[in-house]
Amino acid sequence: MADPTIQTFCCHHGNGTDMAVTIMQEFNTDAYNAVCIFSSCLGILGAVYQILPRQEFSNRHRWLSFSAERGRKIIVWLAIADLLASLGVFTRSTIWMNYKNIMPAVEDDSSVVFCAISSALIQYFYTATWIWTLIYAIDMRFILSEQASRTTYYHLVAWILPAILTATGLSLLYLPDANCHTTTSLKTAVVRILPNYVATYVPIATVMIANPCLYHKSSRDMEQIITSASGQFTSREREILDAIKVKFSVINFVFYMCWIPNLLNGILLWTLWFHLPAEWIIAIWYIMALMNPLQALFNCMVYRRWRNGSEKIILPWRKIEGCYPTAHTEPSPNSLSNSAREEILPLLRNAQSVNGYRNYW
């Protein structure tokens, strides 16, 4: 999981009087690592499923839908970041369980280095998943306003911003001597420990606030576009719009479910530090260990096309064997013009194909 509290355990624990050390005495690290390994394995499977190439189907036309083209590219990069984060959790927990302790022993510099590096990588890739989640919602707005994709800017933000946040937060925490547990004043704690919490929780909170607003505006735009495309707003159009709203709501719900425990953990730690309910904190750690890596599994469910038979996974070895022949037909001028329009506004179909919306959702 990506949490600043666990990252502080990478520090040398000094004389053993720190509150974190006190909590760790009641913490079953083997059970915690087992939960991390279990959830990260499911996350790896979900991410791999999401990355696999797929063939998408519609009733009469090869519509270039949002999930098949622009949205699909964002989803794949989100899944790659999820995959690398889950692999990091799996590797770290496996080594912790078999070779090293979560909290390094006195003078155990190798454990400190391993814990710091592994935590930094996990933090980096999870921050990238939060950025890609936000980018998906932003690109939806661009599509509905018929604006081109900002692919280069997406990658710059999604990979560079997490590096800056992770490096800043963890450098202040660990440098120069990885002795963050020896801080005795509030000022030192605020200067060394708080920035890492801010670097972690601000991106999560931003997605939680921004994405519902972006999806709400997208839903309103979709209502206007569907009405103008069909010239009417019957029960069929209402059903289409309701399906869109449900999908947006489920995407937001999954993100909240996976990351609210982390925010709750930070709030409790910084408001109740001197009267910390250890049992509650430990329970939240187990929930985070389960839910954070499961983001990849849930994402492969909510970002896919929901209608049965609308897509088919192309397994690499079956593709090599030639199970998916490619038709070599010359496109007609009409199909080219349709493709150009769909590339600009891929979520939408023409007025004669309102039923086709069901194939996407």
Side-chain angles (χ1 to χ4, degrees), residues 213-245:
C213 297
L214 291 169
Y215 284 136
H216 176 69
K217 292 182 178 179
S218 295
S219 298
R220 295 179 61 181
D221 288 348
M222 285 296 297
E223 182 175 356
Q224 296 177 359
I225 293 171
I226 291 173
T227 303
S228 62
S230 61
Q232 59 185 345
F233 198 76
T234 64
S235 58
R236 177 177 297 169
E237 283 72 35
R238 172 61 60 184
E239 179 183 351
I240 294 168
L241 186 62
D242 288 344
I244 294 170
K245 290 180 178 179

Side-chain angles (χ1 to χ4, degrees), residues 34-56:
V35 173
C36 287
I37 291 173
F38 171 75
S39 60
S40 61
C41 286
L42 294 179
I44 291 170
L45 293 176
V48 170
Y49 173 83
Q50 191 74 286
I51 294 171
L52 286 175
R54 58 202 65 204
Q55 183 179 13
E56 301 191 356

